[in-house]
Amino acid sequence: MTAPLRLGTRGSALAMAQSGQVAAALTEATGRQVELVEVVTAGDRSSAPVHRLGVGVFVSALRDALTARTIDLAVHSYKDLPTAAAPGLHVAAVPPRQDPRDALVARGGRTLAELPPGAVVGTGALRRIAQLHALGLQLEVTPIRGNVDTRLARVLGPDADLDAVVLARAGLARLDRADVITETLDPMLMLPAPAQGALAVECRADDTDLVELLAMLDHAPSRAAVIAERALLATLEAGCSAPVAAYAELAEGDAGDEIYLRGAVISPDGTRDLRLSRTGTPADAAEIGKALAAELLELGADSILGHEGNAGPGTQQFGSTE
């Protein structure tokens, strides 16, 4: 009998949920059995703020396990992956993307506009902190860490100390917790992180049989959107301290499918907010992202980014989907 495929995953409830969903889809599509193998990453062991953890902290241990052949494939939250390719590894599938928008969970069922001045809002991402400040709502924004349940407890639990939290809608949906969302935030207000809501299924590039097998899970529109968003991020060379946002949507145009990409670079205090958009074909997804990044740089994005603590091309600013 064929041995089960060993799927490496982080041990958080969200990581296990999304890995389990990929495992089930793979078994359904191919008939191959899949077993989950928990891998502890440096990000899981640290309590430091997400933006100070460095590049690839949620993925390096999984990639090491792939290289060491202790697992056959790994599932990542795509926004955790550094933009530089990993030698010898290949993202063989991008399954259909969950809704990439951010979500607000607030006491009393409030929306963002209903929060009073001085309300304390928690989030783990500088991108969200910057955009909340840019809205000018006089909110007090505080950085937080922890898994989804930990963050929700700070608003909904008996010892709640926050008025609201902002999380990725995709994570709540994958955990069947979308019922706690009080507002799904319009991208015009809160542009998502590049690749938010998308998963990356990675394996060794030389495992050609598995590469071919995993391709059955690939969703071309989701992959094209992610390619455009991450090309923008890579071209900006955004480091761990840079709030960068991007959101690509595919729609039917006059001459076939088109990508509509929006990108933003926002100063942490929200006082500088550059936003642009660009369209093109899915086949040109990477070039669309690069071109939009170049336009943002021409408008002064470089001075906002500052590249403080930048590790160069291929760095990634975002932490776990949680």
Side-chain angles (χ1 to χ4, degrees), residues 23 39-40 43 47 54 58 107 120 145 188 193 197 206 222 240 251 256 292 319:
V39 177
V40 179
S47 60
F58 293 107
R107 289 197 217 182
V120 184
R145 277 292 309 271
M188 294 297 290
D206 63 3
S222 296
C240 293
L292 187 55

Side-chain angles (χ1 to χ4, degrees), residues 57-82:
V57 293
F58 293 107
V59 303
S60 57
L62 287 164
R63 286 179 157 176
D64 288 346
L66 274 173
T67 302
R69 300 180 180 271
T70 57
I71 60 174
D72 302 304
L73 67 154
V75 172
H76 310 283
S77 292
Y78 212 147
K79 70 176 183 178
D80 290 347
L81 288 184

Side-chain angles (χ1 to χ4, degrees), residues 131-193:
Q131 290 185 91
L132 286 169
H133 285 315
L135 293 174
L137 298 177
Q138 298 180 293
L139 302 172
E140 182 181 335
V141 188
T142 185
I144 59 173
R145 277 292 309 271
N147 61 31
V148 169
D149 285 336
T150 299
R151 297 184 191 204
L152 291 178
R154 297 190 63 176
V155 175
L156 306 176
D159 300 317
D161 61 338
L162 301 174
D163 295 294
V165 290
V166 180
L167 306 96
R169 193 186 196 287
L172 291 168
R174 289 189 176 114
L175 288 169
D176 293 325
R177 299 299 307 273
D179 59 303
V180 300
I181 296 172
T182 57
E183 182 182 11
T184 298
L185 299 176
D186 189 318
M188 294 297 290
L189 297 176
M190 181 76 67
L191 204 62

Side-chain angles (χ1 to χ4, degrees), residues 164 201 275 311:
V201 185
R275 295 173 186 260

